[in-house]
Amino acid sequence: MTTTKSKVVYSPVFTDGAEFRIPTFKLLKQDGSLYKSAKAPDLDKEKALRIYRAMITTRILDERMLAAQRQGRLSFYMQCTGEEAAVIGSAAALDDDDMIMAQYREQGALAYRGFTIDEFMNQLFGNEMDYGKGRQMPVHYGSKKLNYMTISSPLATQIPQATGYAYGQKLAGDGHCTITYFGEGAASEGDFHAALNMAAVHRVPVIFLCRNNGYAISTPAAEQFAADGVAPRAYGYKMDVIRVDGNDILAMYQATQEARKLAVEHNRPVLIEAMSYRLAAHSSSDDPSGYRSKDEEAVWREKDPILRMRLWLESKNWWSESDEKQLQETMRREVLETMKRAQKRPPPALETLVTDVYDEVPPMLEEQFKNLKAHIRKHPDAYPKSAEHAKGGA
Amino acid sequence: MTEMNMLQAINSALDTAMAENERVLCFGEDVGVFGGVFRATSNLQQKYGKARCFNTPLVEQGIIGFANGLAAQGSVPVAEIQFADYIFPAFDQIVNESAKFRYRSGNLFNVGGLTIRAPYGGGIAGGLYHSQSPEAYFAHTPGLKIVVPRNPHQAKGLLLGAIHDPNPTLFFEPKRLYRASVGDVPDEDYRLPLGEAEVIKEGTDITLLGWGAQMEVIQQAVELAEKEGISCEVIDLRTILPWDVETVANSVLKTGRLVVTHEAPLTGGFAGEIAATIQDRCFLYLESPIARVTGMDTPFPLVLEKEHLPNHLKVYEAIRASVEF
C-alpha cells in the first residue's frame, strides 16, 4: 500500500523543491521600532524585563567567563553571544514547567528560568556544589528544579530524546511540551532526522528549535547543506515549520508562543529555524579568524539582539540609561564575587568517582575504589585534590 | 629528517600519501580550509583542492558510510572523526559494513583502502565526552585493523602503513601527545608494519606492555622501578588488532611477568584479552599473575581525572607487586 496521493504524470517531471521558499518572520527593526504592518505580541513589562535581565546576565557571564578562561582560571567555555534573542525569546514563551533539552549554547534559557550565578559558577568550576559533581566539562549545565535536562556533549543526541520526553508528556496529559535546541550543524546528524520523523508520525508535542547561526565550528552553512536552510526539511516529514529572525526578540517570542499552542493543544510538532549568527568563537578552544572575516562579524555585530531589545524597551519607557548602568554594574560585580567564591570551594568528594555509574556501587567498583584509596594514601602528594578524602576507611 | 610534533607528523603522512596517489582523499568535520580542530589536515585543501580535502556535513554515520562507498569504488579515503568519543554514531557503518565488506561478498568487493583517524584518550581535561579510549569495542570485530602510535615518528610511519594496508583500519591518535610529543621524523615516505609490536627496551625481570599515550606513562614507571634494580622489558603493542602475540609471549617466556596498561576501563578492556592469551601460552613460565593497570569501570570524569587514569605511580606499584609476589 502506498501513502502517496500525488497526481500521475506521463512524462518525467523532476523537482528540487526550490519553489518552496519559507518566509522569515520579523517584527522588530534594529532601531527598536516595529515594522510597518507588524504588531507586537502580548508581552507585559514585567516579563519583558525578565527577558532583558536574562539577556544581560548571559552576555556578562559570557564576557567574564571567557576572560577567566583566558586567565587560566577555567578550563573551557562556550558563549551564547549573538544568539540571546533566539534562546531567551523562545524560552520565555514557554510555561516554566515545560521541559528544555538544550545543546550547549543555551545558558540564556537557564538564566531566564532562574538559575543563579552561583549555580552557573559551581558547574563551571566543577566544585563540590556542582549538581553534576564535577564530572562534565564547563557549560554542561542541568537543573531538575528548572526542568532543564543536563547537557550531553555528543551533538543532536537530545533531539530524539526530546521527542520521547514529549510523547510521555502527551500520555501524562499534563498540558506540557518539550523544546529542544540545536545548531544547524547538528541538524545534519541522523538523530535529527529520526526525531522529526517520529514526532510527526506520532503527533508529539515537541518544539524543535534550530539556531541557524551560520557556522558549525569552522564549517559555514553553505558547506553543511545545499537547501534553503534547515526549515524546508519539515515539509518532508509533514511538520509545521516557521523561520524567524533569530535576533528579533518579539518575533522569537511570538513564534514560539504559537508553536507551543500547536504542540500542546493540537499535538503538532513544530520546527522553528531561528536565523542568527554565532558572534563568538565556537568555544574557547576555537579561533574563528582562521575561517571567517572580521568584516562578516561586524555586519552581525550591527544586528545585536540585545541592543535591539533595549531600544524597544526604551521606546516603551520601560527602561532607561540609568537602569542599564545599574544592571550592568550590579551584574558584573555579582559575577566576579560569585566566581571567586565558587573557585575556592573544594572539589567533589573522591566517592563521586564511583557513585551514579549505577544506582548502587557494584562490587567491582567497590573493590577498585578501595584499591584507589589505598594507593592515594601511599602517594598523597601525587593526588592533592583527593588525598584528604582518601584518609578515611579501609 | 625534520623535528616535528605528532600533529605535524600526521600532516606530513597525509601530505606524502596525497602527493603519491591522487586517489587518496581526506575529509571530515572542519578538515577543509581550517585544517581540522587540531590542525592535522592543515594546508591539504590549499595544496590538493576541495575535491580531495573537504569539510563534510556534521554526520559521523554519513562520513563513514560515504567513506565505505568511496573505498569500495577504489579510492583511498582517510576519514577523520573529530574525537574518538564521537565515533559511535558511525559504529554501525564500521562494525557491520567496513569490517564485513570483503567477507560477505566473497571478496568481490572490499573497503581495504579505508583509514579512519580519530583522536582518543584523556589527560586534557576533556571529561566524559572528549577522553574515551574505544579500541576494545572495535577489537571485538573481525575484519578491522586498529593502530595506535606513541610518538611522531611512529605516527607518520604507522599512518602511512595504515593508508597502504589493504584492510579497513582505525587509527587512534593520542591527543594528549599531539603537541607534547616531539621528535625527528623522516621527510620521505616510510611505512611501519601493522600487526607488529615493538620491543622498545629489553629487560629480564618483567614485561611492560601498552600502547599510545600509555607508553610515556610506562617509561616513567620504569625509571622508578629501575632505580630499585628491577630490569624491565618494554613493549609497544602498536597494533591492537590483529595483535602481535608472538612478540609479547616471547618476552613473557623470558621475564615470567607481565603488566598490561591502558586508559580504557578494566572490564572488557583489551588487557583482558591479552592476559587470557598470554596465560594460555606462558602458564608454566609465569612467576606472578598478569596485572592490568587501567582506567576505572566508570565514565571518564573531569575533576578527578588524575585519580581515574592509570598513571606512572599505579604502573610502578603494579611492577612492585608483581616482582614481590
Side-chain angles (χ1 to χ4, degrees):
Chain A
M1 189 191 99
T2 170
T3 55
T4 294
K5 293 173 193 144
S6 64
K7 69 175 184 180
V8 175
V9 292
Y10 299 98
S11 59
V13 176
F14 294 91
T15 168
D16 69 357
E19 66 270 30
F20 300 113
R21 300 299 271 193
I22 295 178
T24 303
F25 173 50
K26 289 172 181 259
L27 292 172
L28 199 55
K29 289 195 251 178
Q30 192 58 36
D31 65 6
S33 68
L34 290 167
Y35 284 96
K36 208 170 159 195
S37 53
K39 189 175 165 301
D42 188 17
L43 183 60
D44 61 31
K45 182 180 171 186
E46 190 193 353
K47 194 161 201 177
L49 292 183
R50 180 175 165 193
I51 291 173
Y52 189 67
R53 286 203 185 91
M55 288 171 112
I56 294 291
T57 305
T58 307
R59 183 68 66 91
I60 290 177
L61 193 66
D62 279 5
E63 286 167 7
R64 291 286 141 186
M65 298 326 286
L66 186 72
Q69 193 277 336
R70 296 292 185 244
Q71 294 162 359
R73 300 167 83 168
L74 194 63
S75 62
F76 180 81
Y77 194 75
M78 297 179 99
Q79 296 169 275
C80 173
T81 301
E83 299 175 68
E84 292 93 344
V87 173
I88 301 169
S90 54
L94 304 173
D95 187 295
D96 278 351
D97 287 333
D98 291 338
M99 178 48 95
I100 295 177
M101 296 176 80
Q103 186 166 310
Y104 44 52
R105 209 180 291 290
E106 293 87 1
Q107 51 266 53
L110 204 40
Y112 177 81
R113 286 250 168 125
F115 208 57
T116 65
I117 301 291
D118 203 43
E119 289 175 302
F120 277 112
M121 291 297 170
N122 291 334
Q123 198 287 328
L124 292 170
F125 288 100
N127 64 31
E128 64 176 5
M129 288 177 77
D130 168 22
Y131 302 137
K133 303 177 189 173
R135 289 168 178 153
Q136 291 214 79
M137 287 172 75
V139 310
H140 288 63
Y141 309 111
S143 171
K144 179 101 176 165
K145 191 178 76 186
L146 299 177
N147 296 302
Y148 193 96
M149 187 70 76
T150 302
I151 307 299
S152 164
S153 307
L155 277 183
T157 51
Q158 80 280 15
I159 313 176
Q161 292 169 14
T163 301
Y165 198 98
Y167 188 69
Q169 289 172 314
K170 176 179 159 179
L171 294 186
D174 60 7
H176 286 119
C177 67
T178 297
I179 191 168
T180 178
Y181 293 90
F182 48 91
E184 85 290 344
S188 293
E189 295 277 16
D191 277 347
F192 165 85
H193 301 275
L196 266 66
N197 196 31
M198 286 189 76
V201 168
H202 292 288
R203 300 182 58 97
V204 177
V206 55
I207 300 168
F208 300 101
L209 201 146
C210 176
R211 297 176 289 95
N212 187 338
N213 67 7
Y215 286 88
I217 306 189
S218 77
T219 303
E223 290 177 35
Q224 193 66 242
F225 39 71
D228 173 33
V230 170
R233 291 179 205 174
Y235 290 163
Y237 299 111
K238 197 173 186 302
M239 186 187 296
D240 291 314
V241 59
I242 187 168
R243 173 176 285 153
V244 186
D245 177 345
N247 287 16
D248 178 341
I249 191 74
L250 297 183
M252 281 306 303
Y253 180 76
Q254 191 176 20
T256 313
Q257 218 176 20
E258 310 244 333
R260 186 180 187 277
K261 267 187 212 154
L262 286 170
V264 171
E265 291 170 20
H266 305 281
N267 287 315
R268 295 177 71 95
V270 184
L271 173 65
I272 299 174
E273 185 180 25
M275 307 307 290
S276 187
Y277 190 82
R278 191 194 75 209
L279 268 178
H282 162 70
S283 76
S284 56
S285 309
D286 173 39
D287 174 15
S289 70
Y291 54 83
R292 71 186 190 192
S293 69
K294 288 275 170 221
D295 291 350
E296 182 189 296
E297 290 175 26
V299 169
W300 281 90
R301 236 170 269 282
E302 299 280 301
K303 300 180 188 176
D304 190 321
I306 296 186
L307 180 63
R308 197 185 303 185
M309 185 184 190
R310 182 181 158 189
L311 292 169
W312 177 70
L313 290 175
E314 286 177 0
S315 77
K316 296 189 71 85
N317 288 320
W318 289 353
W319 198 248
S320 68
E321 187 69 41
S322 68
D323 290 333
E324 179 75 18
K325 206 173 154 221
Q326 200 193 349
L327 176 63
Q328 293 264 359
E329 277 172 13
T330 321
M331 197 56 74
R332 284 214 162 81
R333 199 168 50 238
E334 189 183 344
V335 166
L336 281 177
E337 284 167 6
T338 313
M339 175 165 69
K340 279 182 203 152
R341 263 204 316 276
Q343 216 181 346
K344 280 187 196 137
R345 288 196 182 111
L350 187 59
E351 295 82 70
T352 60
L353 252 182
V354 294
T355 53
D356 307 327
V357 182
Y358 301 95
D359 62 334
E360 291 175 343
V361 180
M364 91 281 193
L365 268 180
E366 292 272 15
E367 171 84 11
Q368 290 174 25
F369 188 57
K370 199 179 80 187
N371 293 341
L372 176 68
K373 281 215 287 192
H375 174 80
I376 293 174
R377 280 201 298 272
K378 207 166 175 184
H379 302 274
D381 297 345
Y383 303 92
K385 277 185 186 144
S386 51
E388 198 58 33
H389 283 297
K391 273 185 180 163
Chain B
M1 286 282 192
T2 306
E3 191 175 85
M4 295 183 194
N5 65 28
M6 193 180 286
L7 281 168
Q8 291 163 330
I10 288 162
N11 185 257
S12 169
L14 296 171
D15 191 2
T16 304
M18 290 179 91
E20 274 171 12
N21 178 1
E22 65 177 25
R23 303 198 72 174
V24 177
L25 295 94
C26 293
F27 51 86
E29 293 154 14
D30 300 290
V31 306
V33 65
F34 194 45
V37 292
F38 290 104
R39 306 302 177 93
T41 54
S42 288
N43 303 315
L44 297 176
Q45 184 174 78
Q46 290 83 332
K47 205 162 167 184
Y48 299 105
K50 273 191 155 180
R52 291 182 60 201
C53 176
F54 51 91
N55 288 335
T56 63
L58 220 162
V59 53
E60 293 79 9
Q61 67 190 112
I63 293 169
I64 303 302
F66 176 91
N68 275 333
L70 194 54
Q73 175 270 347
S75 292
V76 185
V78 186
E80 177 177 300
I81 298 293
Q82 203 158 69
F83 283 88
D85 309 72
Y86 302 138
I87 205 167
F88 297 113
F91 201 71
D92 184 46
Q93 281 291 338
I94 298 170
V95 166
N96 279 329
E97 304 303 319
S98 313
K100 298 171 175 68
F101 231 95
R102 192 191 304 273
Y103 183 80
R104 71 173 178 226
S105 69
N107 206 16
L108 288 179
F109 299 97
N110 74 80
V111 294
L114 172 63
T115 302
I116 302 167
R117 297 179 35 247
Y120 88 95
I124 60 140
L128 277 66
Y129 297 115
H130 295 83
S131 306
Q132 294 173 79
S133 300
E135 69 273 11
Y137 291 104
F138 297 101
H140 200 55
T141 304
L144 301 174
K145 290 195 177 184
I146 304 167
V147 179
V148 190
R150 71 173 183 275
N151 64 26
H153 180 272
Q154 295 286 310
K156 180 173 177 182
L158 287 169
L159 181 54
L160 283 166
I163 291 169
H164 291 99
D165 190 275
N167 295 285
T169 302
L170 297 169
F171 192 79
F172 289 120
E173 299 164 4
K175 60 180 170 290
R176 181 166 87 226
L177 304 185
Y178 265 161
R179 293 188 174 85
S181 179
V182 177
D184 282 336
V185 176
D187 297 310
E188 66 278 6
D189 186 359
Y190 66 99
R191 297 166 201 177
L192 295 172
L194 307 194
E196 284 183 25
E198 186 189 4
V199 180
I200 298 177
K201 180 183 168 310
E202 298 204 18
T204 53
D205 297 334
I206 187 165
T207 302
L208 296 168
L209 178 65
W211 48 88
Q214 273 314 90
M215 297 315 298
E216 215 185 32
V217 171
I218 289 177
Q219 213 64 52
Q220 290 172 286
V222 164
E223 279 170 29
L224 291 179
E226 300 219 317
K227 274 185 201 150
E228 298 177 12
I230 302 169
S231 166
C232 301
E233 181 140 309
V234 178
I235 304 179
D236 177 3
L237 194 59
R238 300 200 294 192
T239 303
I240 310 299
L241 192 72
W243 68 284
D244 184 354
V245 180
E246 282 313 308
T247 297
V248 180
N250 285 339
S251 172
V252 177
L253 290 175
K254 181 176 76 176
T255 64
R257 293 183 172 88
L258 175 64
V259 172
V260 190
T261 178
H262 57 61
E263 288 186 27
L266 178 77
T267 303
F270 199 65
E273 179 59 35
I274 293 168
T277 304
I278 295 302
Q279 71 88 22
D280 186 40
R281 294 280 293 260
C282 309
F283 186 65
L284 294 175
Y285 292 79
L286 287 172
E287 304 281 348
S288 66
I290 295 167
R292 293 175 287 167
V293 185
T294 70
M296 296 171 78
D297 285 340
T298 72
F300 203 105
L302 180 78
V303 173
L304 297 174
E305 163 172 59
K306 194 170 179 196
E307 283 74 3
H308 173 91
L309 276 169
N311 62 7
H312 69 289
L313 286 174
K314 293 179 187 174
V315 174
Y316 163 72
E317 294 291 353
I319 296 170
R320 287 277 306 265
S322 181
V323 170
E324 290 165 10
F325 181 75

